[in-house]
Every structure is written in C-alpha cells, then in structure tokens.
Amino acid sequence: MNSDYVLVSGRANRKLAECIAENLGKELFPVDILQFKDGEIQVYYNDTIRGKNVFIIQPTFSPAENIIELLLLIDAAKRASARNIVAVMPYFGYARQDRKDKPRTSIGAKLMSNLLTAAGVTRIITMDLHADQIQGFMEFPVDHLFVSNVFIPYIKDLNLPNICIASPDTGGTKRASTYAKALECDLAIGYKQRVKQNEVAALQIIGDVKDKNVIIVDDIIDTAGTLCKAAARIKEMGAASVRAMCAHGLFSGNAIENIENSVLDEVIIADTIPLRHNCEKIKVISVAKLLAEVIQSVVDDTSISSHYYV
C-alpha cells in the first residue's frame, strides 16, 4: 500500500481515534461532520485526499446514525478520489444477526457488508466479531483482531493462583478455549436456555470451579443478564472469585445496575465503545496501540499474524 495515508475519525469514539493517532505519531485529518435540524448528516473533508489511503475510525454501535455517518465518510472519500478506503470498526454493529435463525427474519450482518461494499470500502479492520463467518460476507479483505492480545497479558499480570476460564454460553466455547490454552488453565462452560431475547430462563455451569479464580470471557456485554447469572452460579459452586472480560461493553438497559449488584469482583472491557456510565467495578483497557500497529502493518504491507493468539 502507498505509505501516504490519513486518519479520519467519526464522532462515535473520538477518544480512541485520538489515541490511535498518537500511537502512530500523526494528527487526525480535519473533517467537518454537520447535522441538520431534522437529523440528517453531511460530511466534508477540509483538504485534498486525492490518491491517499484513508483510514476511517468509527465503531457502529447504537444509535444507527453511527453507521450512516461511517457510510457518508466512506462515500465522501470515494468521491474525493481516495486511493484506498479502510474502515476501522473496533465494534461491528449488527454482528449478532449473522444467520437466518427463524422464518422471515433479516440478516443484519450481511446487509451491513452490502452497504459497506456499495459505499466503497476496500478493507475493514475490526475486533472480536460475534461470529467469525461474518468475514465471508465481505467482498474485500478483513483484518479480524482479538482483544485477547491485551486481555491475556492483563490476566498474567494479576498473578492469580488457580485460574479457570469460563464461557457464559456454549457459543463462546472457542473463545474461552483460546484463553485457557494461552494461560494453561482449566475451562468451564455455561449452558443457557432463553425464554426470549435478552432474557435467560436457566443457566448451568459445566466444569469444576470450586476454590478457583474464575474469569468469564465474552465478546459483548449487553444487558449483563447472562453474565450476572453465570457469575452467581459460579459463585454458588464455590469459586474463590469471579471476574469478567469482554471486548465490547454495550451496557444497555439496567446493565450497570445489574453489574453493581452482582457477585462480580471486576469487569474488564476494551475501549472499542466509549464507556458512558460510571461503575467502580468496570475497568477499561485500551486497544489503541494494537489497532495502531495493525494500521501501520496495512500501510507497510507487512504481516499481522503476530497479533493473534492461537
């Protein structure tokens, strides 16, 4: 890739974008993002980007305006004759809609891919997709990173004895297994039954957690219902302590209250989404350095395989 590149930030997570730019020794490229009284968004690049590689940093969590803003930033860059347009999406919205799991339902992740393609993206850098197969929806390269790169060193620095990694549900078994393998520790798996979306009826833990320091790993904390139920069940089974590590902290509804009232000792999240609520139990670890290193690798056409735990 041509080394002449610029970093652009949308409004969704400006702080993370500034940290990425600082790690790369660059300034964020000036762009005006206007919002009309009716809510419509218009973007404008304040200087030429003709022939440049444009990295647009914008996670697409709710509200939907974050997605529209990203698409407009991409469209404006394409119409301004940018050479390559890379969407840096630390959180890829609608990733939980990755398949048709019941009749007459949408597949939101595929639709997001189609929109990005139509807008003119040439590459995506993202983190901890809810389902790995979403990469196959894209018609362009996808650099899929994992927060385990920063979380596993943090766990090691805790120097906790008798660690056990747990997944709150069977869908996260692969992720939890990766952590357990890297840490050379035991693994436990939760099995949940839902009555409806965001509401768990029953949850069982498979594995020995007695007298262990358990760390629950997941990709998304939404309402924290499953997480808190899993933590309570693990504590009932005799765990010495229970922590949680999660890439994307959405914290919808009563999530913060649920966490504050739970048996969880600590909840560690990445800064893919800005933390909008204060909670003493929540600790934020930045992924800015990791994203900066990968952006530099894309610019230099070098391998990013060293950024994966396998």
Side-chain angles (χ1 to χ4, degrees):
M1 181 181 278
N2 185 310
S3 61
D4 191 9
Y5 74 98
V6 298
L7 299 174
V8 175
S9 175
R11 295 175 296 178
N13 197 344
R14 179 85 181 186
K15 183 178 179 181
L16 175 61
E18 289 171 349
C19 290
I20 292 171
E22 183 179 346
N23 274 276
L24 288 166
K26 293 182 74 73
E27 297 288 335
L28 291 174
F29 193 82
V31 57
D32 286 336
I33 301 175
L34 310 175
Q35 191 141 12
F36 298 107
K37 293 294 184 182
D38 65 351
E40 282 190 10
I41 298 167
Q42 184 182 54
V43 304
Y44 170 73
Y45 290 90
N46 289 328
D47 203 347
T48 181
I49 53 173
R50 183 179 295 274
K52 297 183 186 294
N53 300 303
V54 180
F55 290 82
I56 303 171
I57 303 164
Q58 176 86 335
T60 52
F61 56 92
S62 180
E65 279 78 3
N66 288 328
I67 296 168
I68 298 299
E69 188 174 293
L70 172 61
L71 294 172
L72 290 170
L73 285 164
I74 294 165
D75 182 70
K78 180 178 70 173
R79 295 178 188 279
S81 301
R83 182 186 298 270
N84 291 293
I85 304 168
V86 181
V88 183
M89 304 170 65
Y91 174 72
F92 188 99
Y94 288 83
R96 286 176 286 182
Q97 299 182 35
D98 62 300
R99 65 195 183 281
K100 190 174 179 179
D101 56 356
K102 55 180 177 285
R104 300 174 298 282
T105 190
S106 60
I107 305 178
K110 175 57 178 171
L111 176 60
M112 292 305 108
S113 168
N114 291 346
L115 290 170
L116 289 164
T117 301
V121 156
T122 55
R123 176 184 291 269
I124 280 181
I125 299 173
T126 190
M127 302 195 76
D128 283 74
L129 288 170
H130 186 67
D132 291 347
Q133 65 266 24
I134 291 173
Q135 297 171 79
F137 294 169
M138 316 296 182
E139 300 300 328
F140 40 76
V142 178
D143 294 316
H144 182 206
L145 311 176
F146 298 92
V147 293
S148 54
N149 255 284
V150 293
F151 279 179
I152 289 175
Y154 177 82
I155 295 172
K156 289 179 178 178
D157 288 343
L158 289 174
N159 291 317
L160 293 172
N162 212 12
I163 290 176
C164 177
I165 295 295
S167 171
D169 53 43
T170 53
T173 302
K174 179 182 175 183
R175 179 183 303 104
S177 179
T178 300
Y179 278 75
K181 180 181 176 182
L183 295 164
E184 299 180 339
C185 66
D186 292 338
L187 174 67
I189 300 168
Y191 173 72
K192 66 184 178 185
Q193 294 174 302
R194 290 191 186 275
V195 288
K196 59 183 178 180
Q197 199 71 13
N198 289 126
E199 188 173 327
V200 177
L203 191 146
Q204 299 297 324
I205 302 297
I206 303 167
D208 180 18
V209 296
K210 185 174 175 58
D211 298 325
K212 294 181 181 178
N213 291 296
V214 179
I215 301 174
I216 304 170
V217 295
D218 208 351
D219 61 327
I220 295 171
I221 299 178
D222 194 351
T223 63
T226 298
L227 174 63
C228 293
K229 281 181 180 290
R233 182 70 185 119
I234 288 168
K235 198 72 173 178
E236 287 172 6
M237 294 171 67
S241 68
V242 187
R243 289 173 173 79
M245 306 193 88
C246 177
H248 313 298
L250 295 176
F251 301 124
S252 307
N254 296 326
I256 298 297
E257 182 181 349
N258 290 339
I259 289 170
E260 287 176 339
N261 296 331
S262 73
V263 300
L264 286 161
D265 295 279
E266 186 179 35
V267 175
I268 302 100
I269 61 168
D271 58 349
T272 58
I273 296 171
L275 181 62
R276 294 166 286 183
H277 311 276
N278 292 323
C279 178
E280 290 184 0
K281 287 189 177 183
I282 297 175
K283 177 180 176 63
V284 181
I285 298 179
S286 182
V287 291
K289 185 173 184 292
L290 172 61
L291 288 168
E293 288 173 352
V294 172
I295 288 171
Q296 191 64 60
S297 292
V298 171
V299 170
D300 296 338
D301 290 323
T302 57
S303 173
I304 66 167
S305 59
S306 61
H307 297 290
Y308 290 87
Y309 270 99
V310 294

